[in-house]
Amino acid sequence: MDELIDIYDENNNPVGVQKMKSEAHRTGLWHRAAHVWIYNSAGEILLQLRAKDKEFYPNRWDISAAGHVSAGEEPVVSGLREVKEEIGLPVSKEDLGFFRIGKSKMVYEKMLNNEFYYVYFLKFDGDSSKLRVQEEELQEARFFPVDKIKEGLKTNQDNYVFHGEYWQDVVNHVKKLLSAKV
């Protein structure tokens, strides 16, 4: 789905221009995204299996909920919207813990994805079977033990969306969050 997004320079400063997401991806314009990683007290991370007909990285495991920041929108608001739309979980700003802003230059087939991604964590110990997946975006959402994710990234890398070292950063941060609460 195409949408209007704000454009930034390579230092994450707004340039006062808005473009369609498809144009930003075609020409490599810098833009923002929000990533929400959902974890539980059992040390598991919720991953979504992207829809089979997604243009990019179809049928692969990915971030719990993520999406582009719409024009005029703050990243945290985008993160909240994506969690609600993609897995049907209503949350508030206070539920999200800000982690960091990442910067990524990625080429996937004909897409030039230059983005600043705002990373948030959300602890959810509710019944995951009650989550409602947005079928046009994903096939399912399921909790995986951290060790199973780490092993899968080593042995079956093609089953996951490529995020490089970012996956390890996420795993380490979830472990830190859980150890801090003990």
Side-chain angles (χ1 to χ4, degrees):
M1 182 173 96
D2 215 357
E3 62 187 299
L4 192 65
I5 59 175
D6 293 317
I7 304 302
Y8 298 83
D9 68 16
E10 63 185 23
N11 296 310
N12 201 16
N13 298 307
V15 297
V17 173
Q18 296 176 335
K19 299 284 184 182
M20 295 305 288
K21 177 177 71 172
S22 60
E23 183 177 347
H25 285 166
R26 188 177 69 255
T27 60
L29 298 172
W30 286 97
H31 56 281
R32 291 177 176 173
H35 297 178
V36 179
W37 292 92
I38 301 172
Y39 68 100
N40 63 23
S41 296
E44 300 170 320
I45 299 173
L46 185 78
L47 299 182
Q48 63 165 260
L49 183 60
R50 294 171 60 84
K52 292 177 184 175
D53 59 352
K54 291 287 283 183
E55 185 176 3
F56 304 109
Y57 295 110
N59 209 36
R60 291 187 184 198
W61 292 102
D62 200 6
I63 301 163
S64 308
H68 289 81
V69 177
S70 297
E73 189 175 53
E74 290 298 317
V76 69
V77 173
S78 176
L80 294 170
R81 175 176 45 80
E82 294 296 337
V83 171
K84 177 76 169 138
E85 287 177 2
E86 292 182 358
I87 59 173
L89 185 62
V91 292
S92 66
K93 287 181 184 181
E94 296 76 30
D95 296 325
L96 298 182
F98 178 74
F99 178 50
R100 71 169 192 214
I101 301 170
K103 182 178 181 180
S104 173
K105 287 185 75 144
M106 182 192 71
V107 177
Y108 179 83
E109 295 179 359
K110 294 180 182 179
M111 178 182 71
L112 306 172
N113 192 30
N114 295 333
E115 72 179 24
F116 296 95
Y117 53 94
Y118 288 65
V119 184
Y120 302 90
F121 283 84
L122 169 67
K123 186 174 182 186
F124 174 72
D125 284 324
D127 184 354
S128 61
S129 69
K130 297 196 179 194
L131 298 176
R132 296 181 326 275
V133 299
Q134 184 182 18
E135 292 179 5
E136 54 274 7
E137 293 289 328
L138 57 145
Q139 299 173 58
E140 70 175 294
R142 184 178 355 141
F143 277 102
F144 288 90
V146 167
D147 292 337
K148 184 170 182 175
I149 294 170
K150 287 172 61 175
E151 181 62 28
L153 289 165
K154 288 179 188 172
T155 60
N156 297 307
Q157 219 171 26
D158 290 343
N159 290 340
Y160 299 85
V161 172
F162 177 77
H163 292 297
E165 293 299 315
Y166 178 35
W167 280 104
Q168 188 61 48
D169 295 343
V170 167
V171 166
N172 289 341
H173 192 65
V174 167
K175 288 180 175 181
K176 180 180 173 184
L177 289 168
L178 291 171
S179 67
K181 305 289 182 189
V182 176

